[in-house]
Amino acid sequence: MMTLKRVENVEEESICEAIRRKVFIVEQGVDENLELDEHDTFGSSDYYPHYLALVDGVPAGTFRMHRLDDVSLKLQRFCVLSDYRRKGVGRFMLAGLEKICRGSGYGKIVMGAQCTAVPFYEKCGYTVVSGVFMDAGIRHVEMQKIL
């Protein structure tokens, strides 16, 4: 069974950080100083809400998001551990995010997506809205979905 929960304490935030370290820093070679920032410190005024995806109670993925304006949220740091990829976890996470957004009155999700992940996001209804740019040494494009 898959569940998506909002991070509620430092322990859960540390699980999210461990997932991101494994995916972005270890697997993809992103510099730790670029990956982890002031928006990851649970309880701080700069903290962005983080979510944790669990499969049968085991951590499988994470993301964070923040409000851009009255109608838009920005998805960031979306990742799934390698053992859980291609098993529906990413789609489940996006569906959960979209439900949260709709329930909070937001009508659009935007993100900077790695180019290698564009086909996945397109299958989930997201559209490329920019040219390619580099972020942390990885090719990205801006994508969005109108809810």
Side-chain angles (χ1 to χ4, degrees):
M1 180 171 96
M2 286 189 255
T3 55
L4 183 65
K5 72 175 311 288
R6 184 174 174 148
V7 169
E8 298 175 353
N9 56 54
V10 173
E11 292 77 22
E12 291 173 347
E13 179 57 44
S14 68
I15 295 169
C16 294
E17 181 179 319
I19 292 170
R20 287 172 47 197
R21 282 181 180 282
K22 186 166 188 179
V23 172
F24 294 123
I25 297 170
V26 175
E27 290 178 18
Q28 297 182 358
V30 173
D31 184 292
E32 179 177 352
N33 294 319
L34 296 175
E35 176 54 31
L36 303 170
D37 61 25
E38 70 276 8
H39 305 300
D40 297 316
T41 304
F42 186 83
S44 78
S45 60
D46 293 326
Y47 182 74
Y48 289 165
H50 287 58
Y51 287 79
L52 183 59
L54 305 164
V55 176
D56 297 327
V58 178
T62 188
F63 64 84
R64 73 181 192 191
M65 63 181 187
H66 69 97
R67 177 185 181 275
L68 286 179
D69 55 43
D70 290 343
V71 297
S72 307
L73 287 178
K74 183 160 187 171
L75 171 62
Q76 294 183 315
R77 310 305 202 268
F78 185 94
C79 61
V80 176
L81 290 170
S82 60
D83 288 348
Y84 295 95
R85 293 180 197 145
R86 302 192 187 279
K87 296 181 180 178
V89 176
R91 283 182 186 268
F92 176 79
M93 291 167 59
L94 286 177
L97 168 65
E98 292 165 14
K99 182 177 179 182
I100 292 164
C101 289
R102 285 186 188 101
S104 300
Y106 294 97
K108 181 168 71 171
I109 299 170
V110 299
M111 73 174 95
Q114 292 183 10
C115 289
T116 55
V118 166
F120 163 74
Y121 290 118
E122 287 178 330
K123 288 177 189 171
C124 295
Y126 290 77
T127 305
V128 174
V129 294
S130 79
V132 174
F133 62 92
M134 297 300 286
D135 185 10
I138 299 170
R139 294 167 42 92
H140 284 70
V141 291
E142 287 290 327
M143 298 188 80
Q144 72 176 25
K145 182 173 184 176
I146 305 299
L147 302 174

